[in-house]
Amino acid sequence: MKPEVVLYKSLPDDLRARLDEHFTVTAVKGLTPETVQAQAEAFARAEGMIGSSSPVDEALLEKMPKLRAASTISVGYDNFDVDALNRRGIVLMHTPTVLTETVADTMMALVLSSARRVVEVAERVKAGEWQRSIGPDWFGVDVHHKKMGILGMGRIGLALAQRAHLGFGMPILYNARKHHEEAESRFNAQYCDLDTLLRESDFLCISLPLTEQTHHMIGHEQLAKMKPSAILINAGRGPVVDEQALIAALKDKTIHAAGLDVFEQEPLPVDSELLKLPNVVALPHIGSATHETRYGMARDAVENLITALTGKVEKNCVNPQVLR
Ligand code: 8YV
């Protein structure tokens, strides 16, 4: 008998076939009260689950007493109650490596588009406003050789430092829980405290996971320390930045602009003040959203689930302590 699993995100056909080779699969459209209720028996029998972007909490886990492994098609796992998984001995797998370069590309796109006002001026061209050679009201600010501050030096921060330093000649400052030797030796990144990072960065690029410690890490007080010419980039998780404080800072020109791929609420409500501000580039959480990378994430997540339920876990595990 193959182990039973719940699939709550659609997969490319070949990956779905790979999952079917190993498991009896029940596919549902997301983890909603309705889908859980409609497939209650399948949830009750499932030893594994695979998908992304839905909350997995104590209440859901109570409906899944046989669950042994959860595999998320993402690097971030803030939507999981990891303590609850740990208490039940459920292993959580994620996809930390495959999306690194793509997310760093997205961050660089936000840096360039917010500094050079790419989206705004392209819209002006489409609106027929390009009638004569452009003047200073269409100008942006330089990116190359400006100081890049990176908050959170993980894999993505490192890939961003590589682009910024080697490609754009930018000096790199960073703040993280600990020193990152590779960032320092390869990209001459300078470690500093958060206040120094805020005060000195021309671009403050946030690449942090969402945890209790990082929630609203950037608020009124921190924004007030930034340069009026500074640009804030967030492609980690929205709630790391206090969005109301950011809106105020952008309105009163405490900072110059923001490039955002993540928000406190996603999808971003259409009436968000952020969408009314010309100095904001807002993207629909496209960090990892290329065909190649989303395929790679799904492939890794499928393999992670197979390993967690039928093999020996050696990587991509969030809570390896439950394996002991
Ligand atoms: C995914 C992400 O877009 O991996 C992550 O943590 O934020 C994104 O790459 C998202 O989780 C949807 O799959």
Side-chain angles (χ1 to χ4, degrees):
M1 280 272 282
K2 293 194 255 186
E4 294 205 25
V5 304
V6 170
L7 166 68
Y8 57 99
K9 179 149 188 169
S10 62
L11 290 175
D13 290 346
D14 59 329
L15 299 180
R16 173 62 202 260
R18 173 102 177 118
L19 204 63
D20 287 328
E21 265 172 45
H22 289 263
F23 308 118
T24 301
V25 180
T26 300
V28 294
K29 281 205 163 71
L31 299 174
T32 64
E34 295 74 32
T35 58
V36 178
Q37 173 71 33
Q39 292 290 351
E41 287 178 10
F43 277 83
R45 289 192 305 263
E47 292 180 55
M49 64 194 297
I50 175 167
S52 78
S53 315
S54 293
V56 175
D57 56 13
E58 189 79 64
L60 177 68
L61 295 176
E62 265 168 30
K63 299 189 165 77
M64 306 185 77
K66 299 219 161 109
L67 194 68
R68 294 196 286 124
S71 177
T72 181
I73 311 172
S74 64
V75 58
Y77 50 86
D78 44 285
N79 50 327
F80 285 84
D81 181 340
V82 179
D83 287 338
L85 294 177
N86 291 345
R87 283 195 295 277
R88 290 159 191 266
I90 299 165
V91 63
L92 175 59
M93 308 294 288
H94 68 150
T95 63
T97 50
V98 64
L99 46 58
T100 303
E101 302 292 333
T102 300
V103 178
D105 286 350
T106 302
M107 293 188 83
M108 220 48 226
L110 283 170
V111 166
L112 289 163
S113 52
S114 51
R116 301 297 303 274
R117 302 166 63 191
V118 171
V119 179
E120 186 190 345
V121 297
E123 287 303 325
R124 285 200 195 176
V125 174
K126 284 192 182 163
E129 289 177 39
W130 187 26
Q131 302 287 355
R132 59 196 66 81
S133 106
I134 63 161
D137 57 329
W138 293 53
F139 294 176
V141 294
D142 274 333
V143 170
H144 67 89
H145 298 96
K146 292 281 179 68
K147 209 172 267 182
M148 167 156 299
I150 302 180
L151 180 52
M153 188 56 85
R155 294 178 185 83
I156 295 168
L158 186 72
L160 177 64
Q162 175 176 23
R163 284 155 177 73
H165 187 65
L166 302 184
F168 292 81
M170 300 170 88
I172 310 289
L173 277 180
Y174 76 102
N175 176 257
R177 276 179 307 179
K178 48 185 196 298
H179 282 259
H180 196 296
E181 279 178 24
E182 192 180 344
E184 295 184 7
S185 62
R186 288 180 62 200
F187 313 125
N188 197 26
Q190 309 287 319
Y191 184 90
C192 64
D193 60 23
L194 181 58
D195 271 11
T196 308
L197 192 78
L198 294 166
R199 275 198 314 272
E200 294 195 8
S201 299
D202 295 309
F203 294 89
L204 177 69
C205 295
I206 304 170
S207 178
L208 285 171
L210 178 61
T211 64
E212 271 172 33
Q213 291 72 40
T214 64
H215 183 266
H216 282 194
M217 193 165 171
I218 302 298
H220 285 288
E221 199 189 316
Q222 290 72 29
L223 290 160
K225 290 177 182 161
M226 292 173 66
K227 296 181 190 181
S229 57
I231 296 179
L232 180 144
I233 306 296
N234 189 10
R237 283 294 181 265
V240 173
V241 177
D242 176 344
E243 209 163 275
Q244 291 311 315
L246 176 63
I247 290 167
L250 289 163
K251 276 187 173 167
D252 64 22
K253 301 275 164 31
T254 304
I255 64 169
H256 178 63
L260 307 169
D261 189 41
V262 291
F263 303 90
E264 293 219 50
Q265 192 188 326
E266 294 180 11
L268 181 63
V270 284
D271 61 355
S272 167
E273 286 287 307
L274 285 171
L275 297 177
K276 301 187 181 107
L277 300 172
N279 51 347
V280 169
V281 175
L283 300 180
H285 199 145
I286 62 162
S288 62
T290 64
H291 290 290
E292 301 93 322
T293 293
R294 283 295 173 84
Y295 180 86
M297 290 163 71
R299 181 201 56 217
D300 284 5
V302 167
E303 294 309 320
N304 285 342
L305 189 63
I306 295 170
T307 307
L309 288 178
T310 67
K312 187 167 183 299
V313 171
E314 271 162 1
K315 58 177 187 183
N316 298 346
C317 182
V318 171
N319 56 351
Q321 68 274 20
V322 305
L323 298 165
R324 288 194 284 273

